[in-house]
Every structure is written in structure tokens, then in C-alpha cells.
Amino acid sequence: MSHSETQAVRTEVVGKAGLIILNNPPVNALGLKLREGIVDALSELNGDANVEAIVIYGEGKAISAGADITEFGKTPKLPTLPEVVNAIETSEKPVATVLHGVALGGGLEVCLASHARVALKGTLLGLPEVTLGLLPGAGGTQRLTRLVDLETAIDLITSGRKVDAAKALEIGLVDQIGQGAPRDVALKAANDIIEGDLKTRVTGELTAEIDVDVLAAAQEKYDRKRPKLIAPIKAVEAASHAAKPIQEGAKLERELFLELMESPDRQGLIHAFSAERATRQFPEAGAQPRACDTAGVIGGGTMGVGIATAMLLAGITVTILETSTERADNAKAAIEKNLASAVKRGKLSEKARDERLASLSASADLTDLSDVDVVVEAVFEDLAVKTEIFQKLDKICKPGAVLGTNTSYLDVNDIAAATSRPESVVGLHFFSPAHIMRLLEVVVADKTTDDVVATALAMAARMKKVAVRSGVCDGFIGNRILAHYRKVADYLLLDGNSFEQVDKALEDFGFAMGPFAVGDLAGLDIGWATRKRKAPTRPAEERYVTIADHICENGWFGRKTGRGYYLYGDSKSREPNPDVVEIVEQVRASEGIEPRAVSDEEIVSRYMTAMISEASRVVEEGIALRPIDVDAVFLFGYGFPRHLGGPLNYADRVGAAQLVAQIETYAKEDPHYWQVPSLLQKLADSNGSFADLN
Ligand code: T1G
């Protein structure tokens, strides 16, 4: 093959070794160019009398991250991945693969079909298709089950979990661990094959040990799992065919794969995959970021400790600042505890933990922040307190320092106005626990300059956060939308549904926890404080539900006080709090309400319609750049069911016209709360979708 034809794949003959070199940045996704190139290269090298062994390896960061996700939903052009995989397996000359970086999905399937696999230390291998609503569709379920024991194969296929090279060697997924650059390892592998030091075998000719009890247990597990997703169930079904001849089993697997390709789960999960990456496209992303290697975090409470931990884990040097050395030391100890649990969870080596701790200092003296690149303020949610701190920072911090505030709803413009450098002030709204939750709302105030926004983006990338750009409004994107739709749960409760039914209906829909259980977890006093803050500006015509206030007046704030909507004793089950049931009845009676419970379906419809309504306003006002940004906020900050892809992805399934009709129906009982957003009306009138706006 001439090198000019397709740079994506090139061949090279070195002595008796025939090399097939993949080069399709950024991750050697197996798009059409690569598929064609591999098939052509195999026939070329099989036809070359000098070649006695063929080795495939990748240039760039990985051998291959799998099928090209951007091709999904379109008619695949030939050759399909199964055809590529078969060409490898049926090659006359032995074919080895060298795995480096990651070998995922179709990338691993290509390697499974080769006759020997050599992985570089640290390589990650996996079949993550189920996380995209699919199953390995190029022989993965048929060949993995021939190489490793069924239980391990089923676990990897249905969880999408990755294993590293050492583990892969241990379970029989790879044959050797290679040292050095992929090319050198490839040349050595070819030589080892020719010399008989690397055994080759045709995976498809091996026999899979199929144990029906293992299959049944896996099916049962995924039948019971909530939300119930079909991909893992179909993946087990595909694996059950692995005792059949490879071509027969692979055909049955492909049929199941194509069935899943058409499923709503696949659409939602791929949308979620794209949402995680699309949000990086801020208009300011092209600006040159400022430095963000050293940071000061002001406030040693839950948020400050979480933010400091997240920054330390990202290799940023941190000074945690409190009002006294004792409080500062306590905050440092809390950070050390977070790092220790990261080590326990296998997320951090002991060595790395010690290095991180060496770059952590605690202080009660604001002037210790005079030389940091970035400051993140995470103190009490009070404008006066924050502006006083920013006035001091303005005098202390070096020119060019980025001044971030973790406020969850205050106007970042007001905070910026307290300084002589408003261009350097930006909102960095983390979500608790800040070292675990991936969402970061980057709130761009009127005077925030592009390079400051770009610095926030760069810091978010280092912390592996999903950064979403937000404009300034009360609650930014997530909390503003939450404040709106959360009221629906209270209206449903007041009007006749029990809080357990509302929670259960939404958990059956796919939320990890219903709104009342979430309130108990977060602390009912937080919502109480927000309602008191907003009381002076609450419109007279707004329907206000006092149930939660009565609960809080009793000091029942949820889990942290042992009781809220539910009782939190030592029993794992969630027991409704009878005193709250009584409060609900008293409030209904005092408002002359004849309780009328609606169906689970209507609970979901009202809740989601309210969420979508406020989300469409947030997009229309430009607070969020695009619908997909709102989807990312809810997927990565609010536990929105991932297979639904986010509220506005889900809205397109319901359809704008249907949503408008639902709002008009509900508006008959409460015209103030239920109003049709103009963007939704426009989409309904034009038969458009939120996807058109991404
Ligand atoms: N196809 C197309 N583009 C991909 C891709 C893929 N498989 N994987 C990554 N990218 C893009 C990504 O969108 C981003 O683009 C850039 O590469 C860097 O990615 C038949 C059907 C490999 C661990 O599920 O897990 O094979 O935003 O920012 O953090 O059975 O990407 O720069 O334009 O994520 O270093 C199965 C998905 C496919 C792996 C790297 N494979 N990818 O993470 O970088 S289905 C997967 C990842 C399949 C077969 C089936 C990660 C990564 P942009 P990134 P990263």
C-alpha cells in the first residue's frame, strides 16, 4: 500500500516482520479509513513472501478506543468491524497485536481476533459497550469467553469495567507484557513468533466453557437492577452463544448488537458521552489560560475541604485558609482523610498521596495567598462576608491571580465589583462532595475576561471535572432549574400523593433517589434557608407549600438529625416519619384540600415537564450555551438517569407539542406556575427539537 493512500494505516516490512501501523488521532477510533486500511494491509502482507509474522500496533495515545462513536446511528460503510476482525483471525500468516494506552470496545475485539496479544505495562483493556447502551458487536462476547473464564468474561462484558495489563495477563486475556515503545515491542513480538517464543493460536477455534448457572445469575442480577437497562441483559444472551461455532455465535451476537443500536438507551447513553465532552466548547476556550499551578482555598468547611482535595488530586499546590490556625489545621486533617480514602479506594498510590500532602499547607493569614495563581473562596453564603474577603484579596493577591468564588447563587457581578480587577473574578460552582462530583459550573460574569474563563476550563480539565459554562442568575443553571421543578413535588404532596409514592415513582423512572429522600440527605435546613431568603420577593400569586417549613420548625432536617420525611434509625429500610404524615394531613385540612393522588405516570410527567420548562428558559436566556449543557449539568451534578441523556434530550422524546399540551392542561389549576416557555412554543410550532440547538 502506498503511504500516500491512507495515512490512517500504513505497512512496513522489517526483515520477516510485517508491521501494520494505526494512526488515526486522537484515539485510533476504528472509522472507515482504519477498517479499510487494516483489511488492505493484511492482504498486502499475506501476499509478501518475505513476511513470516504480522504485527498490528498503534501510534499516538492508544492502540484503539474502539469503534468510531461518531458513526453510530448511520449506515456502516463496508468493511464492517466484524469483517475486519474476521480478516485478522483468518489471516494465513500469524497476526499479533501490541496493546498500549487503551484497548477498548472494538479496539479490544481487534486484538482478541489476533493470534497473540502483547500489552505494554499500564495498558487498560475493556469492553465498555454496555455503558453506551450496546454490547461488543465484533465478536467480543464470543472470543473473550474463549480466552478467560465465563464469570470474569461476563463481569467485564456487562460492567464495562477496565482491567490493566497485569490483570489481563493473569486472567489469560493477553499473552505477554511488553517493555518499550509499541514499535519495538511489535518487532520483538514478530521475532518471538518466528522463533517460537511467542505461541500463537486462533481464538475462534478455542472452546468456551459455558456454565448456565453463571449465565442465569447474571441475567437475574440485571433483571433486578434499577434502572433496568437492556444492554447488559442482551450481552449475557450474546455470551450464551459462545459454545457455538464462532461464525454462528458472532452472527447471533451481531443481531443483538444491531437491535441495541436502535434502542433509546443507546441514544441516551451516547448523548451523555457527547455531553461530557461537548460542554468544553466554551466561546472563550481558545484564549491563552493563565497559570493554575498554585491555589488558595478560603474556607475549611465541607466545600472548601472538598475543593482543596480535588485540586490536590489534580497536582495543584494548595493553601487552605481558615479564620484560625486551629480551624486551618482541622481543615488540613479533613483533607488528609479524603486523600487516605482515595488511597483505600485505589484511586491514589501511597507515594502520590505523600507528594500531594507535601504540597498542602494550612494558614490563618490571608497574606499567605499573595503569590498563588488562583484563589477559590468557599465561605458562608453571605454577600457582605464575600465582598469583604474579595476586597482584601484585591490588595493581597499578585497581579493576574484568578479570583474564584464558589457561591451557589449570589450575583458574581456584585462580588467582582468589590475588587479593582473584576476581569479576574469568575464563579467556580463546585458540587458537594467537591472531590467526587464531576460537575463544575463556570459562572462568567459581565467583566470576566476570556483568559480567566480559559483558566477555569484548564483547571477543570486537570481536576477531570465536567465544566459547564453558566451566565449569572439566581442558582445559575442547575439550582435555578431545581428550585423550579422541586415545587412540583411539594404540590403533589399537598394535593394528595404521599411523599413515599412521589419518591418511588421518580426512582422507578430512573433517579437514584426521589426528591424527598434527596432533601433528607442534603439537609432540609438548606431548602428552608433558601425559601426564607426568597420569601420577600416571592410573587403573591405563587402557590406556597408550608409542609417542609413545619418539618424544619421541629428541628427535623433529615438524616443528620435522624429524621426528616423518613426515619433514619439503624434499619436500612426507609421508614416514613409518622409525624410528617400527620403534618401533611394537618396542612391539607387547614387549606381545605380534598386529597387526590395522581398516578405514578402523572407524577413523572409533571415533574419532568416542570424541569424541562425551566431548562428551556435557561437556554433561551443564554444562561446555558446549549441544551446539551443543561443535560450535562443534570447528568453530572443531579443524578439524572444517564440512559435518558439529560432533561432536554429526554424532552425530545416527549416532543415539544406534547409538552406544551401538558403545561396547558396543568395551567388550568395553577396558571402562575405552569406557563409555556416561548422557546418550547417555538419548537412546538416548528416541529423542532432541542437537539437542533446543540
Ligand atoms: N470514537 C470516536 N471518538 C472518540 C472515541 C471513540 N470511540 N473515544 C474517544 N473519542 C474522542 C472524544 O470524543 C474526544 O474528542 C477525544 O477522542 C479524546 O477523548 C463494535 C460498537 C479513550 C478513555 O466506549 O472512554 O467499540 O472532544 O476527551 O479523557 O463492539 O475517550 O477531543 O473532539 O475522552 O483521555 C467503545 C470511549 C466504542 C471508549 C480517552 N469505546 N472513549 O479518554 O479523552 S463502541 C468506548 C473513552 C464499540 C464495538 C463497539 C475515552 C478514552 P474531542 P477524551 P480521555
Side-chain angles (χ1 to χ4, degrees), residues 651-665:
D652 286 347
R653 294 189 186 178
V654 179
Q658 173 64 22
L659 287 161
V660 167
Q662 279 163 197
I663 295 168
E664 287 168 346
T665 304

Side-chain angles (χ1 to χ4, degrees), residues 26 61 65 67-69 72 106 109 128-129 132 136-137 257 273 277 280:
K61 69 195 267 191
D68 184 342
I69 289 174
F72 288 173
E109 289 175 299
E129 287 87 341
L132 301 174
F257 167 80
F273 177 88
R277 291 155 179 83
R280 299 168 191 166

Side-chain angles (χ1 to χ4, degrees), residues 26-27 29 61 65-70 72 81 102 104-107 109 127-129 131-132 134-138 162 254 257 261 273 277-278 280-281 464:
V27 293
K61 69 195 267 191
D68 184 342
I69 289 174
T70 62
F72 288 173
L81 203 49
V102 295
L104 298 176
E109 289 175 299
L127 294 171
E129 287 87 341
T131 66
L132 301 174
L134 294 166
L135 56 79
K162 300 180 182 78
R254 188 74 182 169
F257 167 80
M261 188 57 93
F273 177 88
R277 291 155 179 83
R280 299 168 191 166
Q281 291 146 26
K464 296 219 178 317

Side-chain angles (χ1 to χ4, degrees), residues 488-510:
V488 166
D490 290 330
Y491 295 153
L492 286 162
L493 176 60
L494 184 60
D495 289 339
N497 282 89
S498 67
F499 51 83
E500 311 102 278
Q501 186 195 354
V502 172
D503 279 349
K504 186 168 179 326
L506 290 164
E507 286 157 12
D508 288 349
F509 175 70

Side-chain angles (χ1 to χ4, degrees), residues 297 299-314 320 334-335 338-339 345 376-378 406 428-441 459-460 462-466 636-637:
V297 177
T302 311
M303 286 312 291
V305 163
I307 294 167
T309 306
M311 289 179 147
L312 279 170
L313 289 170
I320 181 84
I335 295 165
N338 284 344
L339 293 181
R345 289 200 316 271
V376 181
E377 165 273 315
N406 175 56
L428 297 172
H429 182 217
F430 290 82
F431 284 71
S432 188
H435 60 298
I436 306 283
M437 292 298 282
R438 297 199 55 208
L439 179 62
L440 173 65
E441 285 179 328
M459 209 162 49
R462 280 180 75 166
M463 293 188 282
K464 296 219 178 317
K465 294 284 181 187
V466 177
F636 295 99

Side-chain angles (χ1 to χ4, degrees), residues 11-32:
T11 56
E12 209 178 316
V13 177
V14 180
K16 298 175 183 171
L19 300 179
I20 298 179
I21 306 156
L22 311 185
N23 180 22
N24 182 26
V27 293
N28 283 331
L30 292 159
L32 180 61

